[in-house]
Amino acid sequence: MTKDMLLTHPWFGPAVAALIAVPLALLVHRVGGLVLRRLARGTPTLHAMLVNMQPAGRLVLPLVALQMVWQAAPDDLRFLAQVQHLNGLLLIAAVTWLAVRAVNGFADGVLAQHPYDVADNLQARRVLTQTRVLVRTASSMLLVAGGALMLMTFPGARQVGASLLASAGVIGIVAGLAAKPVFSNLIAGLQIALAQPIRMDDVLVVEGEWGRVEEITGTFVVLRIWDDRRLILPLSYFIEKPFQNWTRSSSQLLGAVFVHADYGMPLAPLRAEVERLVKAAPEWDGRFFNLQVTDATERTMQLRVLCTAASSSLAFDLRCKVREGVIGFMQREYPQFLPRMRIEDGAGADMAAAAAQHAMTTA
């Protein structure tokens, strides 16, 4: 009796079909995934995308099979509409997850072909910046679209949407003002991805701070300051305000060292010492160096040493070494020509006599 009731139950056929459809869908996922990954082995980007999509695909295919089973079931089944609705919601969520995983997998494949932990990483940093910004933007749009589709499956949500559209005049203005920072950062993110005023690992001087671009998100940029502090700036900042980018077209820099010396300091031995210091420094890239007198005041002359390095950090270290070496050389060999306040003997005697005469007159 119980067996007959089970066999004649309206849900018996759809349940059996579901129990058959799910393992078949998992089998298709496994076999199809192996075949597709083998075929895409020669294309790293496509292979990375397929590998990243695998967990989401394991959920999507069974839900698609179940949705086909529920659609083929008789319409008069009790609770069929609720089951179809729930399965549809899960399917939309799974497809959204699959799309996000596909975008992220494509990005992983692209970045794997452009490693940026190398000496000359300008092209790699350009690709890294574009990929990360565009992937975050695409993922955000996919999540919003998936959430919107899930809400549209509820009749109440559609009615709320219609009522909101009826009063969209004031609400639209308020929402536009409230969402202005969001949209400005979104547009700024697209501009940064395409025009690339900044890239990952770029060296910037922003708000008087020197640092490297550590992270670019969909709304802000993280700048790692030289002393390990983090400066957080919105994306729109880099579109609306000026800043310095020391690695825009190349990481090579020309560093300057300024030293003040007395007019009696001979330049020939100092030039020889600068040449020795620069050529002995491993930070120097061999491109250029020189020493010039760039200014003269009533007390000292200003000496400038120019030297090149392959990156900003190396240029800083090279400048420090050259500065210390020049000062040390002057201290050892020409200490009398270091900057100081001095009065010549003749001028000092004249000033003393004038002071004495002035004292006698006033007395």
Side-chain angles (χ1 to χ4, degrees), residues 208-288:
E209 299 283 1
W210 182 97
R212 290 182 178 272
V213 177
E214 184 178 57
E215 184 180 3
I216 301 177
T217 70
T219 54
F220 59 86
V221 174
V222 179
L223 192 68
R224 181 178 179 178
I225 309 302
W226 64 273
D227 57 358
D228 283 342
R229 289 176 294 139
R230 298 318 193 261
L231 182 63
I232 312 297
L233 297 164
L235 284 176
S236 56
Y237 179 96
F238 297 94
I239 303 299
E240 299 171 356
K241 295 184 179 181
F243 59 93
Q244 295 182 39
N245 188 336
W246 289 10
T247 52
R248 178 69 179 86
S249 57
S250 173
S251 61
Q252 295 177 336
L253 282 181
L254 179 67
V257 176
F258 293 93
V259 178
H260 290 268
D262 189 83
Y263 282 102
M265 178 67 201
L267 297 180
L270 192 57
R271 280 197 173 95
E273 179 65 12
V274 167
E275 181 177 2
R276 187 192 68 81
L277 290 170
V278 172
K279 290 185 176 180
E283 294 84 1
W284 184 54
D285 61 3
R287 287 188 297 136
F288 174 78

Side-chain angles (χ1 to χ4, degrees), residues 25 42 47 78 92 96 100-101 114 131 199 232 242 259 263 270-271 324:
H47 186 267
R78 190 180 181 185
I92 293 173
T96 303
V100 172
R101 297 278 300 190
H114 298 84
T131 303
R199 292 179 293 266
I232 312 297
V259 178
Y263 282 102
L270 192 57
R271 280 197 173 95
E324 293 174 3

Side-chain angles (χ1 to χ4, degrees), residues 93-342:
V95 169
T96 303
W97 183 31
L98 179 69
V100 172
R101 297 278 300 190
V103 171
N104 290 331
F106 180 81
D108 293 341
V110 171
L111 296 179
Q113 299 180 67
H114 298 84
Y116 68 96
D117 54 347
V118 294
D120 186 9
N121 61 356
L122 181 61
Q123 176 64 21
R125 289 189 291 111
R126 181 181 293 115
V127 173
L128 176 64
T129 302
Q130 285 182 332
T131 303
R132 285 194 175 178
V133 174
L134 292 177
V135 163
R136 286 193 174 99
T137 303
S139 298
S140 300
M141 296 176 65
L142 288 172
L143 291 174
V144 170
L149 288 175
M150 293 178 70
L151 286 176
M152 289 177 63
T153 62
F154 294 93
R158 289 198 295 268
Q159 294 175 1
V160 171
S163 62
L164 287 176
L165 289 176
S167 58
V170 177
I171 295 178
I173 295 174
V174 174
L177 293 175
K180 181 181 176 182
V182 177
F183 288 114
S184 64
N185 282 324
L186 178 62
I187 295 173
L190 294 176
Q191 288 179 294
I192 288 174
L194 298 176
Q196 291 197 337
I198 61 172
R199 292 179 293 266
M200 293 293 298
D201 206 40
D202 265 349
V203 177
L204 307 181
V205 178
V206 184
E207 299 290 328
E209 299 283 1
W210 182 97
R212 290 182 178 272
V213 177
E214 184 178 57
E215 184 180 3
I216 301 177
T217 70
T219 54
F220 59 86
V221 174
V222 179
L223 192 68
R224 181 178 179 178
I225 309 302
W226 64 273
D227 57 358
D228 283 342
R229 289 176 294 139
R230 298 318 193 261
L231 182 63
I232 312 297
L233 297 164
L235 284 176
S236 56
Y237 179 96
F238 297 94
I239 303 299
E240 299 171 356
K241 295 184 179 181
F243 59 93
Q244 295 182 39
N245 188 336
W246 289 10
T247 52
R248 178 69 179 86
S249 57
S250 173
S251 61
Q252 295 177 336
L253 282 181
L254 179 67
V257 176
F258 293 93
V259 178
H260 290 268
D262 189 83
Y263 282 102
M265 178 67 201
L267 297 180
L270 192 57
R271 280 197 173 95
E273 179 65 12
V274 167
E275 181 177 2
R276 187 192 68 81
L277 290 170
V278 172
K279 290 185 176 180
E283 294 84 1
W284 184 54
D285 61 3
R287 287 188 297 136
F288 174 78
F289 76 92
N290 75 352
L291 181 141
Q292 291 178 312
V293 179
T294 55
D295 196 8
T297 66
E298 68 276 7
R299 295 176 182 171
T300 61
M301 58 180 176
Q302 183 187 68
L303 307 176
R304 185 188 69 183
V305 178
L306 296 179
C307 44
T308 57
S311 67
S312 59
S313 57
L314 293 176
F316 180 81
D317 292 338
L318 179 60
R319 289 166 56 204
C320 292
K321 284 187 177 181
V322 172
R323 186 183 297 111
E324 293 174 3
V326 169
I327 294 174
F329 175 76
M330 293 179 63
Q331 289 174 338
R332 292 191 313 270
E333 306 296 335
Y334 300 94
Q336 69 274 24
F337 297 135
L338 291 170
R340 65 182 65 188
M341 290 290 294
R342 61 195 175 100

